[in-house]
Every structure is written in structure tokens, then in C-alpha cells.
Amino acid sequence: VQLVESGGDLVRPGGSLRLSCAASTNTYGSYCMGWFRQAPGKEREGVATVHRLGRTRYTDSVKGRFTISKDNAKNTLYLQMNSLKPEDTAMYYCAAVQYCQPWWSGLLASEYTYWGQGTQVTVS
């Protein structure tokens, strides 16, 4: 599976962005997906995940501001980011794993098989 992110940009604090991640697969509905981010000098952090059955999870720092969604008809994952803060500045990556277990949370990088190349988000 190839994953291609887009939508990163420079935005002012308080602004919004929507990231997209297009996947090349005919079985997109069987994949569990997530968004991660990595700032310079920091570990890669799980931001938001969506289970193939629809359940979503968020890291505490983005709850109420970010929304993850998965469009199986378009093979595309989205991350709507509102009320952006300077500390949201990072390279954002999407990731995928097929047939995750019902109890899968997806906030650890080790839970994924496929990764995109990333899209830069700068809040300043």
C-alpha cells in the first residue's frame, strides 16, 4: 500500500488545516489508519487513529481540536485540525495496518505496517 499525504502548510495560531492521505489499495475498508507527527528532536507521536470498524482515538493534546475521518469510497484519510497552536508544528505522517484487532488503539508507531512520506505543518 502506498500512502501519500497532502495539505500541510504554514498557518497562524488559531487557524485550521485539513490533511489528506490517499491510499493505493482495493481493500481500503480493511485498513486501520492513523496520523502521527514528529517535531525536530522529538519522538514520533500518535495523534489520531480510526479503526476499520469506525472507532476513533486521539492523543490528549488534540482532543476537541482535531478530527480524524476515513472515506472508504475515496480511499482517503483526513485530519481536520482546528484551533492550531505553535506546538502542533511538526511533520505529519499517515500510517496504515490491515485487519487490526478489535481492541487495537493505534497510537503506537509499532502497530503499523505502512507509512507515508509526510507533510509539513507549521503554526507560527
Side-chain angles (χ1 to χ4, degrees):
V1 175
Q2 287 189 322
L3 304 174
V4 180
E5 302 96 333
S6 61
D9 206 345
L10 170 64
V11 64
R12 296 290 191 190
S16 297
L17 280 177
R18 188 176 80 156
L19 305 183
S20 300
C21 172
S24 63
T25 174
N26 292 326
T27 57
Y28 188 66
S30 67
Y31 284 83
C32 300
M33 307 288 296
W35 286 100
F36 284 73
R37 64 187 180 187
Q38 189 166 20
K42 293 191 175 181
E43 301 259 332
R44 190 167 293 193
E45 172 191 29
V47 175
T49 74
V50 56
H51 195 278
R52 58 187 170 88
L53 301 178
R55 185 185 69 241
T56 59
R57 292 186 187 270
Y58 299 89
T59 192
D60 286 346
S61 62
V62 308
K63 284 179 181 176
R65 300 189 298 122
F66 290 10
T67 303
I68 189 170
S69 59
K70 184 173 179 269
D71 188 333
N72 289 337
K74 295 183 178 180
N75 283 13
T76 302
L77 180 73
Y78 301 100
L79 184 68
Q80 178 66 44
M81 304 187 295
N82 299 327
S83 302
L84 283 161
K85 304 175 180 180
E87 51 263 43
D88 295 317
T89 296
M91 185 71 79
Y92 282 71
Y93 300 89
C94 72
V97 61
Q98 195 173 27
Y99 299 127
C100 61
Q101 297 299 323
W103 55 84
W104 176 87
S105 88
L107 288 174
L108 297 176
S110 59
E111 296 179 87
Y112 293 87
T113 308
Y114 305 101
W115 291 85
Q117 293 300 306
T119 186
Q120 178 68 38
V121 172
T122 303
V123 185
S124 178

